[in-house]
Amino acid sequence: MSKLHYPDLQVCVLAAGRGKRMRSNLPKVLHKVLGRAMIDHILHTVESLRPKGIAVVTGHASEMVREHVGQPVNLDWVIQDKQLGTGHAVKQCEQVIRDVRDVLIVCGDTPLLQAETLARLVDEHRQCDSDVTVLTAQPDNPFGYGRIVRDADGHVSSIVEEKDASDDQRQITEVSSGIYCVRYEVLFDLLHAIGNRNAQSEYYLPDIVPLALAAGQSVEAALMDDSDEMLGVNDRVHLAHVEDLMQKRIIEEWQRRGVTVEKPDTVRIEASVKIGIDTVIQAGCYLIGATQVGDECRIGPNAVLVDAWLDDRVNVYAFSHIHGAAVGSDTLVGPYARLRPEARLDEHVHVGNFVEIKKSVVGEGSKVNHLTYIGDTNIGVGCNIGAGTITCNYDGANKFLTEIGDNVFIGSDTQLVAPVRVGDGATIGAGSTITRDVDAGGLTLTERNAQQHVTNWKRPVKVKR
Ligand code: UD1
Ligand code: MG
């Protein structure tokens, strides 16, 4: 659990905007950055402050956002029917906020924001005993952001939006992140006083700054170290840019925790993935969703793991694809293997090239090394499944089970027509089509055509034209 704890803090997340520039049927905050919706990134960040409550303001497609997030206990949903501006959005939270010292206001579309940065904002706000504190930044390009206007003594006097700014004001390089910490006691009086006489006819949250000063309250600015953290996603170009920055951060975090990542620029490791120490992730790998990889594994190059679970010392060779499957320790997979949902490989298993396994168990020490399809099957321990074996699990309408005991040897090019069982220690001759249960032990094989030898056989020769 996070070390941070702000029991007298209320968080407001502004997420009612339409996100027009995304050109999407999805509300903006449901777009994913490294596999996690933007709203989940920001909620995860603010939850680690352990505040008293979190209010999320939604408007556009609010039902979709609610359905996605569910109902955490300390979260209140607030509807803003018309998007009349950021000040108007915060005002809608009045009914759900009670008995806190401060209100922290953040936007739903800034997934790079870190909890420590917010904690520093709240701490500085409290150390200065300020009424309104705005988190500011010095980005390389201030275009589009509200500029921080300071008086002759260097005190913040107002925040001017790009569209309302004079040419001189547009030269200011310090900008507002849109994130504020405001003393609860003063916040709603200030919000009620805001007007909408500006270039966008909106109720601007930044207008609380001059209103607070006019009321004799104190306003401070806290400058953030890394301006990338406030980057907001407005279109899909921003989305890709933010994802790149987050990917770099996540990979560096895993590297510091003892994971080797080769050619990190070619690798995707999504936000929810977990990886153990001394594991090597080679070039071109994609680790997606809820994938978990144990210690001392070796993955890749160019392997794809989606919601995969790997125990320790697993080798996944090049171009293998593992989706919704579990792999026991000391197991080898690939190259070019495909494990599909509900495949479970136990310890010391070998699965080789061009093998597909679906909804099946492969017992400890068993080998399925070449060109094989295993579906709806349980394989015991110590088995050898020969090249080209096919479990015929589907009759075109229904699926059936194949059950293979322990220490079974299945010869190459065998078809097992399910439902069928093979007893412990059985051996099946190459090229058999097994349609009935096979007894334990002994050799089972289906009839073969007699082998012939034609001594005077001549190979055809190419006709010259
Ligand atoms: C806002 C700030 C600007 C700051 C910038 C930082 C205002 C007026 N401007 O500008 O000073 O530099 O953020 O990124 O506050 N929203 C609502 N309801 C509304 C309007 C907006 O919930 O009626 C939400 C949006 O979904 C978004 C956030 O508020 O998450 C910010 O709104 P946006 O329109 O992106 O403001 P900016 O123009 O970026
Ligand atoms: Mg914005």
Side-chain angles (χ1 to χ4, degrees):
M1 200 195 272
S2 152
K3 293 183 296 287
L4 303 168
H5 194 199
Y6 293 90
D8 51 357
L9 181 73
Q10 168 73 40
V11 177
C12 290
V13 180
L14 306 188
R18 243 187 94 185
K20 242 188 293 180
R21 284 169 283 174
M22 295 300 284
R23 295 185 182 276
S24 176
N25 295 326
L26 268 189
K28 177 161 84 174
V29 292
L30 292 189
H31 281 264
K32 288 181 176 174
V33 177
L34 286 179
R36 196 184 270 171
M38 285 196 269
I39 186 74
D40 293 329
H41 279 290
I42 196 76
L43 289 176
H44 185 258
T45 301
V46 298
E47 269 159 12
S48 56
L49 297 173
R50 292 196 285 155
K52 178 167 186 209
I54 300 169
V56 182
V57 185
T58 60
H60 188 76
S62 54
E63 330 71 46
M64 272 171 99
V65 180
R66 279 185 192 209
E67 197 178 314
H68 172 87
V69 171
Q71 186 55 70
V73 277
N74 63 344
L75 192 150
D76 285 297
W77 293 102
V78 175
I79 296 281
Q80 184 194 25
D81 282 326
K82 286 194 180 136
Q83 280 73 65
L84 301 180
T86 48
H88 180 262
V90 179
K91 200 163 71 177
Q92 308 312 305
C93 299
E94 190 163 11
Q95 297 309 315
V96 303
I97 304 178
R98 288 282 171 278
D99 306 327
V100 286
R101 185 190 191 282
D102 300 296
V103 179
L104 175 68
I105 301 156
V106 300
C107 298
D109 61 355
T110 53
L112 293 172
L113 195 61
Q114 305 244 281
E116 293 70 27
T117 305
L118 294 175
R120 254 194 301 113
L121 168 66
V122 179
D123 294 346
E124 275 189 51
H125 169 82
R126 289 179 178 180
Q127 275 154 22
C128 299
D129 200 26
S130 165
D131 292 300
V132 176
T133 308
V134 54
L135 185 64
T136 68
Q138 300 262 17
D140 294 337
N141 180 5
F143 178 81
Y145 291 102
R147 305 299 203 285
I148 303 296
V149 180
R150 290 175 182 267
D151 65 18
D153 299 329
H155 294 124
V156 179
S157 56
S158 66
I159 300 173
V160 185
E161 294 306 296
E162 177 83 34
K163 286 179 181 155
D164 301 290
S166 66
D167 287 346
D168 278 353
Q169 287 169 331
R170 288 201 180 104
Q171 303 306 308
I172 298 172
T173 55
E174 187 186 11
V175 306
S176 163
S177 65
I179 298 160
Y180 296 78
C181 189
V182 185
R183 195 192 292 272
Y184 168 61
E185 239 173 54
V186 304
L187 176 63
F188 289 96
D189 286 342
L190 294 170
L191 291 172
H192 284 290
I194 291 177
N196 66 349
R197 292 182 56 180
N198 52 52
Q200 305 184 79
S201 301
E202 284 185 5
Y203 295 88
Y204 286 168
L205 177 61
D207 285 354
I208 61 173
V209 168
L211 289 166
L213 292 171
Q217 295 158 4
S218 60
V219 176
E220 299 291 339
L223 182 69
M224 66 204 291
D225 295 332
D226 176 7
S227 63
D228 283 348
E229 279 189 40
M230 68 156 180
L231 284 176
V233 173
N234 294 321
D235 61 29
R236 294 182 202 239
V237 177
H238 296 153
L239 190 71
H241 180 56
V242 161
E243 192 164 73
D244 278 348
L245 293 171
M246 188 181 290
Q247 186 63 95
K248 210 167 164 41
R249 188 198 273 173
I250 286 176
I251 287 178
E252 285 176 4
E253 180 70 22
W254 285 118
Q255 289 169 325
R256 281 192 205 93
R257 291 199 205 170
V259 176
T260 296
V261 182
E262 299 176 0
K263 306 251 180 237
D265 290 348
T266 67
V267 165
R268 180 180 181 90
I269 300 177
E270 290 194 344
S272 305
V273 169
K274 304 242 169 346
I275 312 173
I277 60 165
D278 289 325
T279 283
V280 179
I281 310 292
Q282 296 187 290
C285 286
Y286 269 42
L287 277 60
I288 306 289
T291 290
Q292 291 195 31
V293 179
D295 295 348
E296 296 174 42
C297 294
R298 204 166 160 283
I299 316 291
N302 298 302
V304 177
L305 275 54
V306 184
D307 299 332
W309 185 89
L310 274 55
D311 206 334
D312 300 336
R313 297 175 303 281
V314 171
N315 267 286
V316 177
Y317 296 108
F319 300 103
S320 294
H321 192 280
I322 305 183
H323 178 192
V327 180
S329 57
D330 303 286
T331 284
L332 311 179
V333 178
Y336 298 98
R338 182 172 183 209
L339 304 181
R340 290 171 49 202
E342 295 182 59
R344 191 190 94 202
L345 313 185
D346 288 343
E347 295 170 15
H348 295 278
V349 164
H350 293 186
V351 167
N353 40 265
F354 307 107
V355 170
E356 174 179 344
I357 301 184
K358 184 219 77 170
K359 203 173 182 185
S360 294
V361 175
V362 181
E364 186 179 344
S366 289
K367 295 178 181 159
V368 191
N369 271 332
H370 328 272
L371 301 148
T372 289
Y373 174 66
I374 300 291
D376 304 299
T377 299
N378 292 319
I379 299 176
V381 303
C383 293
N384 194 316
I385 310 296
T389 297
I390 306 286
T391 54
C392 309
N393 60 329
Y394 186 49
D395 63 5
N398 297 297
K399 301 264 167 72
F400 300 96
L401 208 64
T402 299
E403 294 196 72
I404 299 173
D406 296 337
N407 302 309
V408 169
F409 182 97
I410 297 189
S412 299
D413 194 24
T414 292
Q415 299 99 56
L416 296 153
V417 182
V420 70
R421 289 162 185 265
V422 180
D424 293 345
T427 299
I428 295 179
S432 295
T433 300
I434 302 297
T435 52
R436 285 181 285 136
D437 288 357
V438 172
D439 289 340
L443 171 68
T444 302
L445 69 171
T446 52
E447 211 171 347
R448 296 169 173 180
N449 292 331
Q451 187 164 321
Q452 297 179 30
H453 183 69
V454 181
T455 6
N456 296 323
W457 168 251
K458 290 222 165 40
R459 287 191 193 162
V461 286
K462 193 157 187 162
V463 183
K464 286 198 178 111
R465 287 170 202 259

